[in-house]
Every structure is written in C-alpha cells, then in structure tokens.
Amino acid sequence: MTKYLLYKVRSITLHPGTVFWSVFFVLFWAIMWVYVFGTGITKYSSMPWYREAVSAYFATAFSSLGIIAMGSASIGLTQGLFTSIAAIRFLTRFSRLSPRRFIVEDLVASLLSLLVVALVEVVAVILLVWQRYGVLIEPKHPLALLGLLVVLGLFFYELSLVSGHLALMVASRHMRSALSGLSLIVSFVPYALLFTGSGNLAGYVFPPIGLQALIIGAVSGETPPATNTINWFKESFLEGRAYTSIDPGLAMAATLVWLLVMGIAAMELARRAKAVHPAELG
Amino acid sequence: MAKNTSLFVYGLCGAEPLSPRTRPHIPYYTWGRLLVIVLREASIGYRGEPVLRNVSAELRGRVVLLGPNGAGKTTLMRGVAGIADIYSGEVLIDGVSAAAACGCAGLLGVNLPEAYNLLYLDAYRVLELYMDLLGGDIGYALEVLERLGLGKDLLRRRKPWELSAGQLKAFTTVAALASNAGNILLDEPFEQLDPAHKTRALSLIEQSKTGTLVLATHETWLLRRLRSWNVYLVFSGRLWGSIGAEELLGSGVVRGRARDAILVIEANGFVMSLVRGRGEPLIRLVSLDHVYEVLMEEA
C-alpha cells in the first residue's frame, strides 16, 4: 500500500465542497425529516409496534439521504479524475503507483470515502430520531445494511468513472460541467420516487431505486416496494394492507449487471481516451 | 485482455493493450548506465492532433531544449512523461517505451505542474506523497525548498495551486530533482522565479547528479552558465541539433540560408541561419521569443 490510499480518503472527505454538499446540506434535510416531516408519526406512539414504525419510516430518510450524500461525494470523484488525469498518467508510468495498485487503492479509498459520508447521514438520522422520538433505530440486518451501502458506493464509484471519462472526451466546458453533476442528478431519482408510484420495474431497471428499498428492508425487516415507499409505509406498514414488495434477488441481479456494464464501459472509455491538453483540465 | 490487465485497465499505460512479449519491464541492469531518452520519428500531441511531428533526438547527459514559447518544448516533455499521446514513432527512456511504461519508479522525474495536481492536499503532503511514490528524498527536498524560501510552515499552509507561479515552479523543480530518478525533465525551471532564487535554483540544477537532465527554456542568457551542455533548438514542433552551448554562445542569427551556417532552421515561414561571429548574437536576444522580431527587422 502507498500513501495514495490514505491521502485520497483525506482529500475527498476533507474537501470543503464535499463536506458542505454531501454532509452539511444533506444533514439539513435529515433535520427536516426528523423535526418537520416525520412528526405525524407520534400519533401512533401508544401502539405496540411504534418503535418498528419509527425505525421503518426513518430508514426511508437515511437511505435516501445517504444515497444523495454518496451522489454528491461522487461529483468530487468525477472532477478529481478529470483534473488529475495528467498526474495519474505520469504516476502510473513512473512511480510505485502502478496501474493495478492505482486501481485498487483508488477504489478502496473512494469506497471508504463514500461510505463515510453515507454513514454520517445514517448515524445523524439515528441520533436525531433518538433525540426527538426516544427510539433508537436498530437495523434488523446490520450486515446486509453495510453490504448494501458498499454496493451503492460501488455503483456511484463506477458512475463517477464513466462520467469522468466522458467529461474528458468532450471538449465543451458546459457539457463537462453537466457530466460532473450526473451522479447527483441520479441520486435524487430514488428520493423523488419515495413519493410517487411507478411500479417495481423501476427498482430492477435502475439500481439506486431498488437498493433504497432493500436498505429500508435491511432496517425494518420488511422489504417495501421500489417506489411510492411513503404510501407503502402508511397503508401497508401501519394499516396492514397487502402490497407487492420488490424481489431482492432480482434487484441485486439487476444491480450486478449494471456494475458489470459500467465497469466495462469505464475501462473501454479509458482505453480509448486521448490525452487532453493540461490547460483544458483547469 | 486478461493476460495484461494491469496495462489494459484504465488505459493508463499505453493506448492499446500490449501482448506479454512486448510488455515493458524495468531494465534494472541498465540503471545507472544507459540513462538516455531516445525519440525516434515521434509525433506527439493531444486529442489526436500532433504538436510535434516526426521528431528524432537522443537526449543524454546535460541537454538544453532551447526554443521560443509555443515551439513544442513542453509538449515534448509531456510526451516523454506520458501526459501527451505519442501517435507515431517511439519514445524510449533507458530502453523503456514511454507509452507503455508501468510503475517504473526511478526512471523519470519531471517538474511539470500538472503532474503534481493529484489530490486536494497541502503542498507538504503533496511532497510527502510524491516522495513516497517516486522513491525520492524528502529530507533533501525540504532542505532545498527552505533555501528557496519555501519553508515547511508555508508548505503546510498552502495548497500547491495557492503558491505563486514562481513558488510552484520551484516546488515542482525541487520535487523532480529530489525524486532520485535517472532521467529528469525540467520545463522552464526559472520562469517567474525572483533573481536571487533563480541563481540558487540554477546552482542546484548544476549540482544534480542525475544521469540525464533535460532543461527546456526560451532564455538564451542561460547558455553562459550551461557552457558544457548540449543544445537542441526547438521551433514549430521540430528539433534542430544537437550543438554545444559554447558554440552557440559565439553564434548569431541571420535571415535566409547562409553558406557558413552551423544550423539552418525553417520555421513559421522563416528561414534562418546560425552563423559564427556575425548576425544578431543569440545571447543578446535574452529570450528566443525575440528571434522573429530580429528576422522581421532584417527583412
């Protein structure tokens, strides 16, 4: 291992842009969920399943906010790849940071950084809920939760590589800027679908949506549908009506296909990449 | 693909996957002996467009690349460093192809600022990281940087891009010299340095023990200090030379083809000759950027 791994984690997690947009900005919404949006749940405080209901409801909060935090941090990864491509090309040739070592250390460091920002949101929501409702959210399947967060991190890492390489390919500054923000745009899709129904298909087609449902399932013990999760919570979790949940196996299989396709796309884009004049890199 | 994943993945080492037979290796047996950068009919550029075309040269020992701004000196160095693409021909560093080199620490050091733009770190940590990756001597680097007015405190306070242009140049030059590489490329190492630090930096470069040291500049006054060095002249993406700096010191520039020319250069629509003992003395130009003005006046 070289110092690259440690310094990459430090570089991402201490970058003011990352800290603001993926931690403080998302924390603001965590506070809104706990102290404004979620207060209606207190009317069930006398029910025996109140603790489970609080856990499940706020699992939707930290799963979606965690995804947004990861998406936001991924912008840093995309821009990092873009601005440092000259240094990467030099170092992988003429330093101990061989391509293989670079790939491994960059992946591990990026995953760790994405997990850190996601876990900050998870822990923040848990602490805020405990403070506001006196309920300590205890995930029913903590290992599954961690595993799902890692898979999500992988998804955003690969997405940042693909968008980073696409940004390197285009000469237009505006297009580059739009591509850098791709992961954040993507991370808001599952959030939006918490409130609207478009069936389970979306969860199989687009991994963050399916993974969000699975994360809620890892915490609550029940797997919700891929979309319209808030409605599921009201009608099914609280009132016991029947619902169709997402198939975890199918959702994971779809996610693996996406990871494979994006991994191949990233490698192919990189292989075809042409050198960019450093003045273009900013 | 699976045979050569480390070279193929991310395309970081060469644009095309290489077969195991052509897989480069670090020629340990040549270290300390070969120490030469060879360009053979190399075309180098960006986004598929060559800036240098069919350039051939053998850079060995102490070499100056002397040319006006925009001539292609930096692009040549970027090509050797793997930052710019090599479209045809080859660039070999101690026998290792620059396009296909992989994890060859100790082979090459550069002071190109973009090679140090890796992570969001303060300058001290950047130096620490690069000395770790390049196998350099951080103690030496810090000592020299201190002499050039870049103390440890300042390095800890500032990111590299927060340093002034001169400080950044000094920083990357010292990092390259401290890298312990067998071949070192220094692009305009004195640009925007204040005069006192310029002299110190020059002494530092003269004292370097590295095998091959290539210095790119447009400043002709430097030839007085680098009399024993070989010089390649760079104009419009082409190289002319090599010629001894001592010989260039006594030469002048004249328009057209002179019979007694030691070099005839055709660039940007001009034909000029370097001749001994007459013409506009090269040294008086101070910067080679003025050469076209001289040629225009002569016309």
Side-chain angles (χ1 to χ4, degrees):
Chain A
M1 191 185 88
T2 69
K3 285 189 173 168
Y4 178 76
L5 196 155
L6 183 69
Y7 281 166
K8 171 95 179 184
V9 175
R10 185 188 168 89
S11 172
I12 301 170
T13 50
L14 295 184
H15 190 286
T18 311
V19 172
F20 181 79
W21 289 108
S22 57
V23 178
F24 287 120
F25 177 69
V26 184
L27 263 181
F28 167 77
W29 289 107
I31 290 167
M32 293 295 281
W33 268 81
V34 173
Y35 291 98
V36 182
F37 309 149
T39 47
I41 204 166
T42 49
K43 68 181 176 194
Y44 300 103
S45 57
S46 58
M47 299 292 184
W49 37 259
Y50 178 65
R51 295 178 69 84
E52 282 74 25
V54 170
S55 291
Y57 181 72
F58 287 106
T60 60
F62 70 61
S63 63
S64 55
L65 294 177
I67 290 171
I68 291 170
M70 278 189 177
S72 182
S74 298
I75 292 180
L77 295 178
T78 305
Q79 288 175 341
L81 175 74
F82 184 78
T83 55
S84 62
I85 192 69
I88 294 168
R89 286 175 68 121
F90 168 70
L91 287 171
T92 50
R93 284 174 169 83
F94 301 110
S95 82
R96 292 201 296 130
L97 195 67
S98 63
R100 190 171 294 175
R101 202 174 254 178
F102 170 73
I103 289 162
V104 171
E105 293 192 14
D106 196 68
L107 169 68
V108 173
S110 302
L111 264 182
L112 278 173
S113 312
L114 291 173
L115 278 176
V116 165
V117 295
L119 286 173
V120 166
E121 300 311 324
V122 171
V123 171
V125 173
I126 289 174
L127 289 177
L128 289 170
V129 169
W130 177 70
Q131 192 278 330
R132 172 68 179 82
Y133 302 95
V135 174
L136 187 64
I137 300 172
E138 290 174 62
K140 290 270 193 318
H141 309 289
L143 281 178
L145 174 64
L146 191 65
L148 288 165
L149 287 175
V150 170
V151 173
L152 251 178
L154 256 177
F155 176 86
F156 278 107
Y157 176 70
E158 289 194 359
L159 185 65
S160 73
L161 282 184
V162 171
S163 43
H165 281 298
L166 285 174
L168 277 165
M169 284 174 85
V170 298
S172 153
R173 252 174 216 277
H174 298 300
M175 195 65 195
R176 259 186 246 143
S177 173
L179 283 167
S180 297
L182 190 65
S183 51
L184 187 60
I185 296 166
V186 160
S187 70
F188 267 97
V189 175
Y191 186 81
L193 290 180
L194 282 178
F195 309 97
T196 52
S198 63
N200 275 348
L201 188 63
Y204 305 128
V205 173
F206 194 55
I209 300 169
L211 289 173
Q212 177 174 259
L214 297 185
I215 287 173
I216 297 167
V219 176
S220 66
E222 291 184 53
T223 310
T227 60
N228 215 354
T229 316
I230 299 296
N231 201 43
W232 158 81
F233 178 75
K234 282 182 190 160
E235 294 183 2
S236 302
F237 197 90
L238 298 181
E239 295 167 16
R241 291 192 219 167
Y243 72 101
T244 311
S245 69
I246 191 168
D247 181 337
L250 203 53
M252 282 310 292
T255 303
L256 290 177
V257 170
W258 265 82
L259 290 178
L260 193 67
V261 169
M262 284 204 301
I264 292 169
M267 282 193 281
E268 194 54 28
L269 282 170
R271 196 174 74 83
R272 290 168 184 269
K274 299 233 178 333
V276 178
H277 193 289
E280 271 191 64
L281 301 174
Chain B
M1 179 177 131
K3 282 179 189 169
N4 208 359
T5 314
S6 70
L7 296 178
F8 175 67
V9 175
Y10 288 98
L12 298 169
C13 291
E16 297 298 327
L18 302 172
S19 69
R21 183 175 289 183
T22 55
R23 183 196 296 242
H25 63 282
I26 308 171
Y28 295 104
Y29 58 92
T30 66
W31 282 24
R33 283 193 285 164
L34 208 62
L35 301 170
V36 61
I37 298 168
V38 177
L39 294 99
R40 278 194 205 123
E41 296 291 315
S43 293
I44 301 168
Y46 317 94
R47 288 203 184 278
E49 291 177 21
V51 174
L52 293 126
R53 289 174 195 273
N54 305 321
V55 170
S56 294
E58 196 171 295
L59 311 175
R60 184 195 296 271
R62 299 290 179 268
V63 180
V64 179
L65 297 178
L66 185 66
N69 282 320
K73 307 181 295 291
T74 307
T75 299
L76 187 150
M77 291 194 163
R78 285 179 183 147
V80 176
I83 294 170
D85 283 336
I86 299 160
Y87 300 117
S88 61
E90 60 180 353
V91 176
L92 302 171
I93 308 161
D94 293 359
V96 176
S97 164
C102 267
C104 302
L107 201 59
L108 187 76
V110 295
N111 77 335
L112 297 163
E114 61 270 21
Y116 294 84
N117 189 12
L118 186 65
L119 297 172
Y120 184 81
L121 297 170
D122 60 69
Y124 182 81
R125 285 197 171 84
V126 170
L127 191 67
E128 240 183 11
L129 174 63
Y130 273 72
M131 291 303 105
D132 176 53
L133 298 177
L134 298 169
D137 183 346
I138 192 161
Y140 168 79
L142 288 171
E143 188 190 316
V144 174
L145 283 169
E146 179 84 47
R147 273 192 272 153
L148 293 174
L150 290 160
K152 216 187 263 188
D153 289 344
L154 180 79
L155 295 175
R156 282 189 192 280
R157 278 202 315 273
R158 304 242 174 106
K159 309 280 183 296
W161 57 90
E162 291 169 349
L163 298 170
S164 71
Q167 286 174 328
L168 179 62
K169 192 57 89 170
F171 176 78
T172 56
T173 299
V174 170
L177 290 170
S179 69
N180 287 330
N183 305 279
I184 293 175
L185 308 178
L186 301 178
D187 183 37
E188 302 281 7
F190 312 108
E191 207 172 32
Q192 290 170 304
L193 274 185
D194 65 77
H197 289 143
K198 206 176 260 193
T199 311
R200 279 189 197 134
L202 187 54
S203 303
L204 190 72
I205 290 166
E206 286 173 315
Q207 287 160 17
S208 170
K209 299 275 190 293
T210 193
T212 294
L213 205 159
V214 183
L215 188 154
T217 183
H218 61 279
E219 298 176 83
T220 55
W221 66 267
L222 274 169
L223 297 177
R224 278 207 187 101
R225 286 287 298 267
L226 309 173
R227 285 169 187 267
S228 60
W229 291 41
N230 281 319
V231 180
Y232 276 92
L233 287 151
V234 190
F235 285 91
S236 280
R238 290 179 61 198
L239 261 63
W240 281 268
S242 68
I243 187 165
E246 185 78 55
E247 199 172 359
L248 272 182
L249 277 171
S251 306
V253 183
V254 294
R255 193 181 165 92
R257 288 174 195 279
R259 280 190 188 166
D260 55 342
I262 50 175
L263 270 181
V264 178
I265 296 164
E266 290 183 54
N268 295 322
F270 288 100
V271 179
M272 67 186 111
S273 301
L274 284 176
V275 289
R276 280 197 197 91
R278 65 185 179 95
E280 180 71 20
L282 209 60
I283 201 84
R284 278 229 323 248
L285 292 174
V286 183
S287 162
L288 214 54
D289 290 345
H290 300 307
V291 75
Y292 294 110
E293 292 163 28
V294 172
L295 294 173
M296 293 284 275
E297 279 169 21
E298 275 193 32

